[in-house]
Amino acid sequence: MTAPGSGRGIGNGESAAEITTTFVGLPRDSFRILHVSTGNVCRSPITERLTRHFVRERLGVLGGGLIVESAGTWGHEGAPMEANAETVLAEFGADASGFTGRELLDEHVIRADLVLTATRDHRAQVISMGHSAGLRTFTLKEFTRLVKAIDPATLPPLDDGVVTRARALVRAAAALRGWLLAPTAEADEVYDPYGAPLPFFRSIGDEIHEALDPVVTALTGVPARA
């Protein structure tokens, strides 16, 4: 397996610099959220599919230029999602179909507008790949903590488009980092349930759901239905 940041997967004769020129700093009509864990068969698939599900619940569709995907720092390329992860998603009413694991590549980081990782180690690995990823890479729980401190009234209204709102949200969260620290180092971690029984997967699913709810509310401007 190729180490993260090696450039494998850029392909088609494109250099990393050329892809950066294509995807960074130019006007775009999409906003990509990239969820990252280790194998891309447990935590990040759950987070990816729950994000899509919760956005659809609030907006009726997953559209408006919002793209949600995932990858793993040591991703099991082409592997199916863990069966217990599929069960957890089904219990939330989310769609687990058609998923295949991916190894995290430079191009995924380059294209992402927001990277949300399961742990601090994953965050460090993403940032170490370069591509100016530092200001748009957070652990999921870190981003949740920052988002909760942002006044929704300071964000663009949804009428301006979810992409515009999402970009403003990331800028606001990045500006707060360093001011709102985690109470403990473990507070920003989502632990790996790989190989664990279903009850532990369910507890991880509940953690992810609790962390995602305020994030999706901030992105869409629509709270979860009671």
Side-chain angles (χ1 to χ4, degrees):
M1 185 173 291
T2 306
S6 64
R8 185 176 76 77
I10 290 175
N12 298 321
E14 292 178 302
S15 68
E18 287 169 336
I19 289 183
T20 301
T21 300
T22 302
F23 291 102
V24 177
L26 296 177
R28 292 165 295 165
D29 58 0
S30 65
F31 185 92
R32 288 179 180 267
I33 301 173
L34 176 66
H35 293 291
V36 175
S37 62
T38 303
N40 194 216
V41 292
C42 299
R43 289 168 291 181
S44 51
I46 291 173
T47 315
E48 173 198 320
R49 294 306 176 92
L50 282 183
T51 302
R52 294 183 185 182
H53 178 66
F54 295 146
V55 170
R56 286 192 184 101
E57 279 190 331
R58 287 160 169 77
L59 300 182
V61 294
L62 180 64
L66 191 63
I67 300 166
V68 185
E69 50 196 359
S70 64
T73 55
W74 293 102
H76 301 304
E77 189 75 29
M81 192 186 309
E82 281 286 292
N84 282 343
E86 290 189 353
T87 299
V88 167
L89 286 171
E91 290 173 351
F92 278 108
D95 181 14
S97 65
F99 181 87
T100 55
R102 301 192 306 175
E103 180 185 352
L104 180 67
L105 303 175
D106 290 275
E107 63 190 66
H108 301 145
V109 176
I110 290 167
R111 295 173 189 237
D113 298 284
L114 172 63
V115 184
L116 297 176
T117 69
T119 69
R120 292 167 296 150
D121 283 346
H122 296 133
R123 181 184 62 195
Q125 289 183 60
V126 171
I127 293 172
S128 74
M129 294 170 73
H131 315 305
S132 303
L135 290 177
R136 50 196 168 91
T137 302
F138 310 79
T139 73
L140 171 62
K141 289 185 175 180
E142 173 191 21
F143 193 67
T144 300
R145 183 174 66 255
L146 298 172
V147 163
K148 286 181 175 179
I150 296 169
D151 182 354
T154 65
L155 298 173
L158 192 58
D159 288 348
D160 290 351
V162 69
V163 169
T164 298
R165 186 178 178 93
R167 290 178 183 163
L169 183 66
V170 173
R171 289 194 299 269
L176 286 174
R177 183 153 48 188
W179 294 94
L180 294 174
L181 301 179
T184 65
E186 292 73 25
D188 282 344
E189 305 283 291
V190 176
Y191 290 107
D192 193 354
Y194 184 78
L198 181 57
F200 188 67
F201 267 84
R202 285 181 173 135
S203 70
I204 294 300
D206 289 340
E207 280 187 40
I208 292 171
H209 168 250
E210 183 178 351
L212 277 177
D213 181 68
V215 172
V216 176
T217 296
L219 278 172
T220 63
V222 181
R225 290 176 291 184

